[in-house]
Amino acid sequence: MVDWPLRFQLDCQSVDVGAYILFSKNKLLIMESSKRKRYSNALLGNILFSFGLCVFGESVIAKMNAGHWIYLGTLSLILINAGLGFMIKHKWGVF
């Protein structure tokens, strides 16, 4: 029977295998968490971009009907640019 945690001698240094495994798991969890955060921010950018395109369509319809289209057009410009900015910043499509 082997005592836990296992210890090995490597180049006159004691290495704790149990701590290394825990460190590796924590590092893995941190990497997965950052990837999840990046994905959710990129998805938010995609949603903002799509919503901006919908608002742009509404502003075009309002302009054709001689309505108040300036505010809708400005809002669509803000949403489209914000969505593109989020997608580019968080590298949408590189997962």
Side-chain angles (χ1 to χ4, degrees), residues 54-93:
C54 292
V55 173
F56 177 72
E58 290 294 323
S59 70
V60 169
I61 292 171
K63 184 175 182 178
M64 289 173 47
N65 294 333
H68 297 288
W69 59 274
I70 296 291
Y71 298 117
L72 286 174
T74 304
L75 180 63
S76 72
L77 179 67
I78 292 169
L79 289 172
I80 289 171
N81 285 329
L84 283 175
F86 264 95
M87 286 190 290
I88 291 169
K89 181 179 179 183
H90 298 287
K91 298 178 182 166
W92 179 257

Side-chain angles (χ1 to χ4, degrees), residues 6 10 17-18 26 30 66 71 80 82 84 95:
L6 296 174
L10 296 175
V17 175
N26 288 341
I30 290 169
Y71 298 117
I80 289 171
L84 283 175
F95 292 103

Side-chain angles (χ1 to χ4, degrees), residues 4 8 10 23-24 27 30 33 36 40 42-44 48-49 52 56 58 61-62 67 71 73 84:
W4 187 257
F8 293 105
L10 296 175
F23 174 74
S24 296
K27 188 176 181 183
I30 290 169
S33 175
R36 199 172 329 153
S40 61
L43 184 61
L44 174 67
L48 285 174
F49 178 74
F56 177 72
E58 290 294 323
I61 292 171
Y71 298 117
L84 283 175

